Amino acid sequence: MSTVAVILAAGLGTRMKSRLPKVLHPILGDPSLLWVLRTLPQGLGGAVVVVHHGKEQVVAALEAWQKAGLLPCPVSTVDQGEPLGTGHAVQVCIPELDRLGASRVVILSGDVPLTTAATVARLCAAEALLLAMDLPTPGSYGRVLQHGDGRLAGIVEAKDATPAQLAVQRVNGGAYALPWPALRKALLGLTNDNAQKEYYLTDAVAAAAAEVRVAVDICDPQELAGMNSRMDQAELQAWAQRRIQRHWMAEGVTFLHPDSIQVGPRVTLDRDVFLEAGVTLEGAVRVGEGTRIGQGTVIADSVLGAGVEVRPYCVIEQAQVGNGAKVGPFARLREGTDLGEAVHIGNFVETKKAKLHRGAKANHLAYLGDAEIGEKTNIGAGVITCNYDGVNKHKTSIGRNVFVGSDTQLVAPVTIGDGALIGAGTTVTADVPGDALALSRVPQTSKEGGAARIRARQQKK
Ligand code: UD1
Ligand code: MG
């Protein structure tokens, strides 16, 4: 007994007017198809994604998500070839579903991203179920016909419906659970004798419903809304954002100007997190208790501890920030940045593959790349790690309680011992022992009256 999911994702998505396959268009930073796959419960016998248009891009995305551990079950793909309808899309999966030993099949669409995990779990647990919604203007959706006891009698596509059928407001959400033997048999009997000359999955579902009792579940229309145009994308994104914000507000998070804030589906926020206007949190982001994120800050794939203060307009990607750290305004933390507790990173400081231990400070205008900086070390204004020689990157290691004077260049590879003092303006090209003073300055000379003599020569012509 094994339930296998089939995700339909072969369509062209003409109305998106895009080179990107429709199912890869993002909602709050995550592609639609990833939203769908992430709702699948653990313990499924697998998921089969039906692809064709933009196949290479979809397969590459699936591989990346699998590698990143984002998929709850093994996912395979089947190329539909020229798409001949939703029924054809599942027909081409017959060998794969047989191979996976499916006893029940759950079918979802890759362009319907907002179905909740709870709804999908209900579908996966059901013997035979169709998800429907009641719409005041049912438009082009298939109409759901039911027997007196509520079970499914049939589905009629709008283009094939009689006027009386068109008046039905209960429509097909395009998500189904069915026993595989009944669906398999129905798929083999499909014809394309209809208005669109397509092989309709809905006909197969109706045929299966003649053999097994198919229940009909009415869902919130937002959960079954498809993304077919950029307008749909914007609307779905707004719905998803409201749902996510409602959740985190209930968990004790403040959104200062909710409409300007974007928080993705893989973000987790502890209580008393405070988000100012225009903040964007994308990908896998975790923010600890009481942390405040300043206006206009963008954070992706990063972990921030508790009591962190991120001042306005910072960009933080693939970084870790320890408890009580202060960052910004206008700081850029790049991949591999690891800030310890109470580290201070000030304005116009860029870090990359930089580990700063507890209490270290770089408060103004610095570049720290491929560097390790010890506890309580102070990096002055304008300090640059010269980590790149044009071919390779090299490491700068700085001990604890070091004072690096302003405008110092650290030509890597270089190591500075604990307690050393680097004079302002030094170009460090050799290791500095602990507690040493390093200076590399041309001795200063002051020529008495020299400025006046030069100005006299500089008379305007
Ligand atoms: C389908 C249903 C309709 C339902 C609606 C809900 C059929 C015949 N009709 O209509 O009853 O109300 O969904 O949204 O199923 N796809 C393929 N291969 C194909 C055709 C489609 O993979 O050959 C994929 C599409 O990429 C999309 C999904 O299947 O993800 C649905 O296809 P779409 O053409 O949007 O079906 P609808 O006409 O909307
Ligand atoms: Mg559709």
Side-chain angles (χ1 to χ4, degrees):
M1 280 292 283
S2 152
T3 300
V4 177
V6 174
I7 320 282
L8 306 184
L12 184 56
T14 319
R15 280 175 286 161
M16 293 299 283
K17 299 203 173 142
S18 177
R19 288 184 204 288
L20 191 66
K22 176 162 78 165
V23 293
L24 294 185
H25 276 267
I27 300 290
L28 303 173
D30 275 6
S32 177
L33 180 58
L34 180 58
W35 279 77
V36 177
L37 289 166
R38 277 171 40 83
T39 62
L40 298 176
Q42 307 239 323
L44 280 189
V48 182
V49 179
V50 187
V51 296
H52 184 64
H53 288 290
K55 177 186 164 186
E56 291 73 23
Q57 283 164 283
V58 176
V59 168
L62 287 168
E63 277 167 9
W65 301 335
Q66 189 92 59
K67 225 187 216 165
L70 296 177
L71 303 181
C73 63
V75 174
S76 57
T77 55
V78 171
D79 187 342
Q80 190 185 349
E82 197 46 46
L84 303 177
T86 48
H88 177 241
V90 185
Q91 272 176 347
V92 301
C93 296
I94 291 174
E96 180 65 2
L97 290 166
D98 288 345
R99 187 185 73 79
L100 291 168
S103 55
R104 197 152 21 102
V105 172
V106 166
I107 301 169
L108 300 167
S109 285
D111 63 347
V112 179
L114 301 191
T115 316
T116 60
T119 298
V120 175
R122 229 168 47 236
L123 198 59
C124 291
E127 196 45 42
L129 181 66
L130 168 136
L131 299 186
M133 48 187 169
D134 289 333
L135 297 181
T137 48
S140 63
Y141 285 101
R143 306 301 200 263
V144 172
L145 311 177
Q146 288 167 278
H147 290 293
D149 63 357
R151 80 198 147 89
L152 184 69
I155 307 165
V156 190
E157 290 309 291
K159 285 186 178 147
D160 301 293
T162 63
Q165 288 169 334
L166 274 182
V168 172
Q169 292 181 320
R170 182 151 296 170
V171 302
N172 173 21
Y176 323 84
L178 287 161
W180 179 228
L183 178 61
R184 192 181 191 284
K185 186 172 149 213
L187 286 169
L188 293 174
L190 269 188
T191 68
N192 65 349
D193 183 15
N194 54 52
Q196 302 185 80
K197 295 280 167 270
E198 282 182 12
Y199 293 90
Y200 288 166
L201 177 58
T202 44
D203 287 350
V205 174
E211 284 195 23
V212 296
R213 185 185 197 287
V214 179
V216 176
D217 221 19
I218 311 304
C219 296
D220 176 349
Q222 291 188 359
E223 284 205 52
L224 296 177
M227 178 173 70
N228 295 303
S229 66
R230 308 278 179 157
M231 282 288 286
D232 290 348
Q233 184 185 19
E235 194 169 37
L236 289 174
Q237 185 148 280
W239 288 342
Q241 188 53 192
R242 226 162 294 141
R243 190 204 277 178
I244 288 170
Q245 291 194 7
R246 220 178 289 134
H247 171 82
W248 292 119
M249 285 180 194
E251 296 290 316
V253 173
T254 294
F255 290 75
L256 196 52
H257 294 285
D259 290 346
S260 71
I261 296 173
Q262 184 177 310
V263 173
R266 289 184 288 128
V267 173
T268 58
L269 306 170
D270 282 354
R271 65 175 55 189
D272 289 322
V273 165
F274 193 106
L275 305 178
E276 295 181 11
V279 165
T280 296
L281 308 178
E282 257 181 29
V285 171
R286 266 174 44 209
V287 182
E289 188 166 334
T291 286
R292 184 178 182 110
I293 302 186
Q295 178 161 331
T297 289
V298 177
I299 304 179
D301 300 310
S302 295
V303 178
L304 278 67
V308 172
E309 192 181 332
V310 180
R311 291 174 184 152
Y313 302 107
C314 294
V315 177
I316 301 177
E317 290 167 305
Q318 296 173 51
Q320 289 191 54
V321 178
N323 296 342
K326 287 186 167 47
V327 178
F330 301 103
R332 180 168 183 214
L333 309 183
R334 293 170 52 202
E335 73 276 11
T337 293
D338 180 356
L339 307 184
E341 231 175 272
V343 163
H344 289 192
I345 294 291
N347 39 256
F348 307 109
V349 173
E350 175 183 346
T351 61
K352 187 219 71 178
K353 287 193 187 148
K355 186 173 175 68
L356 278 77
H357 291 269
R358 176 204 299 254
K361 291 181 184 170
N363 273 327
H364 336 263
L365 300 152
Y367 172 60
L368 305 172
D370 302 294
E372 177 150 5
I373 294 162
E375 265 182 47
K376 300 225 166 115
T377 282
N378 188 84
I379 305 291
V383 169
I384 305 288
T385 53
C386 308
N387 59 329
Y388 186 46
D389 59 15
V391 180
N392 293 303
K393 302 277 170 68
H394 302 282
K395 189 166 178 192
T396 300
S397 297
I398 305 179
R400 52 173 67 186
N401 294 308
V402 173
F403 182 89
V404 182
S406 296
D407 198 27
T408 291
Q409 301 113 57
L410 300 150
V411 182
V414 72
T415 298
I416 296 173
D418 295 343
L421 204 161
I422 316 290
T426 297
T427 300
V428 179
T429 51
D431 291 353
V432 178
D435 292 318
L437 168 67
L439 288 171
S440 73
R441 292 179 189 158
V442 177
Q444 183 179 327
T445 59
S446 296
K447 296 190 176 157
E448 199 79 30
R453 282 196 298 280
I454 288 200
R455 274 198 290 273
R457 255 191 270 140
Q458 287 172 326
Q459 291 299 344
K460 251 195 173 142
K461 292 185 183 127

